[in-house]
Amino acid sequence: VQLVDSGGGSVPAGGSLRLSCAASGPFSATYTLGWFRQSPGNDRELVAAINWSGSTTYGDSVKGRFTISRVSATNTVYLQMDSLKPEDTARYICAATPQHNISHFSEAIREWGQGAQVTVRS
């Protein structure tokens, strides 16, 4: 499975951005896809994930502000990020696992995208 990240950029606090991640390869349509983020000096943090059934999970710090969605026809997932805060500044990295159980997403990552930088200016 190959992942191609796109999106990211720099916005003022309160703004919005959208990330996308396109998955390709054998059985990629059945993979659970999502994002982690990492900034200097901080541990990698789960942002959101979605499986092919449409079940989702979000990190506590983004609940109510970020929305993950999936387009099955193109096997692409999107992360709509609203009400962005300076603390959301990080590199956002797409990830994939064949694990269908959404609660196990963080435990079994098999593939990583190249990542996209998100900068939120205060």
Side-chain angles (χ1 to χ4, degrees), residues 53-73:
S53 299
S55 296
T56 60
T57 188
Y58 293 90
D60 288 342
S61 61
V62 306
K63 285 179 181 176
R65 299 187 298 121
F66 291 12
T67 304
I68 191 168
S69 60
R70 184 167 186 159
V71 177
S72 298

Side-chain angles (χ1 to χ4, degrees), residues 38-56:
Q38 189 158 24
S39 56
N42 293 317
D43 293 334
R44 189 166 56 204
E45 176 187 10
L46 171 67
V47 178
I50 185 169
N51 64 18
W52 61 262
S53 299
S55 296
T56 60

